[in-house]
Amino acid sequence: MNEKVDYLIIGQGLAGSILAHTLLEKEKKVLVLDQPSLQHCSKVAAGICNPITGRNLVRTWKSKELFSFLNHFYPKLEQKFNQKFFFNIPVYRPFQNLEQQQDWSAHEDKVNEEVIYPKHRFLGQSVNDDFGGLLIKNGGYLRTDIFLETIKNYLIDKNAYQEELFDFDKLNTENNKISYKDIEARHIIFCRGAADKVNPFFEKLPLAPAKGEILHIELENSNQELVEKLNQIILNKGCWLVPFQNKENYLKDKVGKTSTTLFRTGSNYDHKDLTLKPTEKAKQQIETKLKSVLSLDYQIKKQEVGIRPATRTRKPLIGTHNTLKQIHIFNGFGAKGSSMIPYFAHQFVEYLLNHGELEREVRIDKWFLK
Ligand SMILES: Cc1cc2nc3c(=O)[nH]c(=O)nc-3n(C[C@H](O)[C@H](O)[C@H](O)COP(=O)(O)OP(=O)(O)OC[C@H]3O[C@@H](n4cnc5c(N)ncnc54)[C@H](O)[C@@H]3O)c2cc1C
């Protein structure tokens, strides 16, 4: 017998997961198809949510809306699933030089709700922050692996998940109906991340995938006080350093109570080499940046690769096919999936269910005219 669903979602990265959860909360019947053995950049991501970025230390696009949304969204899900995965710790951003420190002081008042301006170097001699830096509140990091596993279990529980390699040749879109093998759906939504660069329905969209690599490291514990302080912040100067508690500690409920010497650091951008092979070049780039900010020995435990669904416009790509009104895409979250996806999943679901407006910058209609 055919299975009938309202929304067939392809991909269970952060985009597919959060969208599926949002639709299920609206009591829609959802089925997510995912092939976990494919590249899956959500799983390797550091999950950092940082409202102030770039050389000029400015607010990221729509940061007020995104951050007030995510600061409710993730804690609400933690409560619902009785699982810790969002860590609301500040980003510490040392100034690169005196000029940057002075430039910042000139426009400090514009963003000060999000920022504490530390008066002293508070990490000690092993961290290169001669000019002080900004302690940026309001963000944090998402343990994406724990989050994705939690949502996958929830979907399985709701009969809303199937491990499956989606094949376009088996999709039928005739007579305004979607059918895929024995599944009938009112709508199909593509959340395949960088894989949607090749999608016959959305060929003109400006997806520009970018490879990124990340190192798992273990810091030597000779300076325990510093390691403990590094557990309380995300260090961000040229590269970032994020605590990465052992998964076992989640099960034993030790997270947040004990500090760890395990961290992740990265990353780099490569638009040419889109293979999943770790490279010596990226490793060296990351290590050079790390060593310029932190003088502490470490051992590399692992190197991982992901392909970000970046776009030429640096904005997400959300909306409906120009003629096939039951085919949609929710993609293009680039390097900022963990901060952008909760807000835009909410906006997209309002658009799908209640004729809500999609933000002008993310709408895909303009790309069909080109
Ligand atoms: C090294 C690195 C560090 C990062 N750090 C951060 C960070 O600190 N903060 C942040 O916000 N973002 C970060 N990102 C970016 C973040 O990972 C992305 O924004 C986000 O994960 C995109 O999610 P997605 O669901 O769109 O794509 P993906 O996670 O790639 O998910 C796509 C899913 O589709 C599935 N799929 C594809 N094709 C098929 C098919 N034919 N059949 C079935 N399933 C299919 C895949 O298996 C996968 O599960 C980082 C990325 C990298 C690579």
Side-chain angles (χ1 to χ4, degrees):
M1 205 180 79
N2 281 4
E3 180 169 11
K4 291 190 177 168
V5 297
D6 295 316
Y7 292 92
L8 179 63
I9 294 178
I10 315 299
Q12 195 240 323
L14 285 175
S17 298
I18 295 176
L19 187 62
H21 179 269
T22 311
L23 283 164
L24 282 165
E25 288 227 307
K26 300 283 180 190
E27 308 203 335
K28 293 294 153 193
K29 191 151 170 44
V30 172
L31 180 63
V32 179
L33 304 185
D34 187 70
Q35 179 47 259
S37 63
L38 296 175
Q39 99 82 20
H40 197 316
C41 91
S42 298
K43 253 188 220 155
V44 306
I48 301 167
C49 304
N50 180 8
I52 294 172
T53 57
R55 269 177 204 280
N56 297 331
L57 300 170
V58 288
R59 274 186 206 281
T60 56
W61 178 64
K62 294 196 70 66
S63 74
K64 275 194 176 163
E65 292 91 335
L66 300 183
F67 283 79
S68 62
F69 197 91
L70 73 86
N71 276 309
H72 284 103
F73 178 82
Y74 290 124
K76 205 173 87 188
L77 263 63
E78 284 185 328
Q79 254 191 350
K80 174 172 172 174
F81 296 118
N82 192 23
Q83 176 70 66
K84 187 85 196 130
F85 37 69
F86 183 62
F87 297 86
N88 184 222
I89 59 174
V91 174
Y92 180 54
R93 177 81 191 260
F95 291 119
Q96 294 286 358
N97 47 42
L98 191 61
E99 199 187 347
Q100 196 182 44
Q101 187 215 62
Q102 287 174 346
D103 279 357
W104 165 260
S105 305
H107 71 270
E108 187 181 350
D109 54 317
K110 291 185 196 136
V111 278
N112 62 9
E113 313 130 53
E114 274 143 6
V115 169
I116 311 168
Y117 188 45
K119 292 178 178 52
H120 306 288
R121 296 179 59 191
F122 71 109
L123 293 174
Q125 296 303 315
S126 299
V127 172
N128 175 6
D129 62 346
D130 295 353
F131 306 98
L134 302 176
L135 206 52
I136 303 165
K137 296 183 293 178
N138 214 13
Y141 73 96
L142 176 72
R143 256 303 281 263
T144 56
D145 54 340
I146 311 272
F147 178 77
L148 292 167
E149 199 177 300
T150 306
I151 298 288
K152 182 173 171 177
N153 290 335
Y154 167 72
L155 295 174
I156 291 171
D157 214 44
K158 295 262 172 201
N159 273 327
Y161 178 87
Q162 205 168 294
E163 195 170 308
E164 163 106 25
L165 177 68
F166 176 81
D167 177 357
F168 282 96
D169 290 342
K170 304 214 161 67
L171 180 69
N172 192 333
T173 60
E174 278 163 20
N175 304 325
N176 285 336
K177 281 195 182 133
I178 299 290
S179 60
Y180 181 77
K181 296 187 176 173
D182 58 352
I183 304 159
E184 279 180 32
R186 292 180 52 224
H187 300 265
I188 183 166
I189 308 175
F190 290 101
C191 299
R192 296 189 311 141
D196 276 322
K197 174 81 188 141
V198 182
N199 181 325
F201 301 106
F202 297 106
E203 277 171 339
K204 292 185 176 173
L205 300 190
L207 262 175
K211 176 172 176 173
E213 302 191 37
I214 187 167
L215 301 180
H216 290 235
I217 61 170
E218 175 152 26
L219 293 181
E220 62 145 4
N221 208 5
S222 60
N223 186 344
Q224 221 174 344
E225 194 190 333
L226 174 61
V227 170
E228 269 175 32
K229 281 183 182 162
L230 290 172
N231 269 264
Q232 306 304 322
I233 56 160
I234 297 162
L235 182 60
N236 178 204
K237 188 183 182 194
C239 64
W240 36 254
L241 184 74
V242 189
F244 192 74
Q245 282 275 359
N246 210 312
K247 230 174 167 184
E248 248 186 31
N249 285 348
Y250 283 80
L251 301 172
K252 293 184 181 157
D253 198 23
K254 283 190 177 171
V255 170
K257 295 170 194 150
T258 52
S259 58
T260 180
T261 48
L262 299 174
F263 286 78
R264 288 193 295 177
T265 184
S267 180
N268 68 317
Y269 282 79
D270 192 335
H271 288 276
K272 286 190 186 131
D273 168 15
L274 297 178
T275 64
L276 291 175
K277 272 201 191 135
T279 62
E280 185 58 31
K281 186 176 158 206
K283 179 171 149 266
Q284 278 177 16
Q285 274 176 1
I286 298 169
E287 284 204 88
T288 305
K289 287 183 200 158
L290 182 64
K291 283 177 181 157
S292 75
V293 62
L294 185 69
S295 337
L296 206 56
D297 283 340
Y298 59 85
Q299 268 190 345
I300 297 179
K301 296 283 176 189
K302 195 158 66 163
Q303 183 171 354
E304 287 186 308
V305 174
I307 314 290
R308 306 174 185 92
T311 64
R312 292 203 303 273
T313 54
R314 292 168 181 249
K315 299 288 184 295
L317 298 165
I318 307 175
T320 303
H321 188 269
N322 60 332
T323 56
L324 301 165
K325 297 299 178 194
Q326 64 284 57
I327 302 185
H328 318 272
I329 191 161
F330 184 67
N331 207 327
F333 296 99
K336 295 189 179 140
S338 27
S339 48
M340 288 207 275
I341 293 171
Y343 175 84
F344 282 109
H346 172 76
Q347 188 174 103
F348 188 39
V349 167
E350 283 302 305
Y351 158 89
L352 291 169
L353 306 187
N354 301 321
H355 305 289
E357 282 275 313
L358 284 175
E359 208 86 32
R360 183 179 53 81
E361 288 96 328
V362 306
R363 278 165 41 181
I364 56 169
D365 20 343
K366 52 188 169 289
W367 298 103
F368 288 107
L369 304 173
K370 299 200 181 255

